[in-house]
Amino acid sequence: ALIQAVLADVITAFAASSAEAVEPDDPAVRFATITALALRRAAALPDEVRVVLRLDAAHRAVVDGGGFDHLHADLVAGAATGRFDTEVDGATLDIVVGAILLATRRVADRLVAADYPVRVITQLLRMLGVDAAEARDVATLAVEAAAVSPEAN
């Protein structure tokens, strides 16, 4: 129970600090930038990320502990404004969160090419309904911003 509580706090604090550090009003840009920050952190702290992702408590903290509340709010805002053309339900969240967690693990394990974060974020944005060319542009800018952000290191 103690590990569950501590992990929930760590994951929620990381997600909240990333969300607060990203100012754009555009939900697609916020989503891309926060995702890029998570992937950048996985590259900067691979051992810590691997340990956390191996713990069942981490998965419960992410799914049940509110670690992705900011993500959910951004997806809902994007759908409400028409920026995203998908319904934000449990299936959408499972696909998005699952992809982010798997991508984070692959980055931490150094199993990816340098352009992997851009490709993952592009595909997630496309799934949410963003045009392919714009999704690539938004993802590229987000990854570039994350590379220089103190939040990711």
Side-chain angles (χ1 to χ4, degrees), residues 17-101:
S17 70
S18 294
E20 290 168 9
V22 177
E23 296 180 15
D25 291 330
D26 181 343
V29 174
R30 283 183 55 77
F31 169 78
T33 305
I34 292 168
T35 302
L37 286 168
L39 296 177
R40 178 73 178 168
R41 180 160 292 177
L45 302 168
D47 293 334
E48 291 83 345
V49 168
R50 277 190 219 96
V51 168
V52 169
L53 290 178
R54 283 189 182 127
L55 298 174
D56 183 54
H59 295 277
R60 278 192 240 117
V62 167
V63 174
D64 302 326
F68 281 91
D69 287 350
H70 294 285
L71 169 67
H72 183 253
D74 286 340
L75 294 176
V76 168
T81 63
R83 185 68 166 118
F84 300 143
D85 69 0
T86 187
E87 180 180 347
V88 180
D89 57 10
T92 303
L93 286 172
D94 287 349
I95 291 166
V96 170
V97 170
I100 292 169
L101 290 176

Side-chain angles (χ1 to χ4, degrees), residues 32 36 117-119 121-122 125 134-144:
V118 170
R119 290 186 298 131
I121 295 167
T122 298
L125 288 170
E134 183 185 8
R136 176 83 178 178
D137 291 344
V138 169
T140 299
L141 291 173
V143 169
E144 289 171 357

Side-chain angles (χ1 to χ4, degrees), residues 96-122:
V96 170
V97 170
I100 292 169
L101 290 176
L102 287 170
T104 300
R105 178 59 186 256
R106 290 177 59 85
V107 169
D109 287 344
R110 310 273 196 251
L111 299 174
V112 298
D115 68 338
Y116 180 78
V118 170
R119 290 186 298 131
V120 166
I121 295 167
T122 298

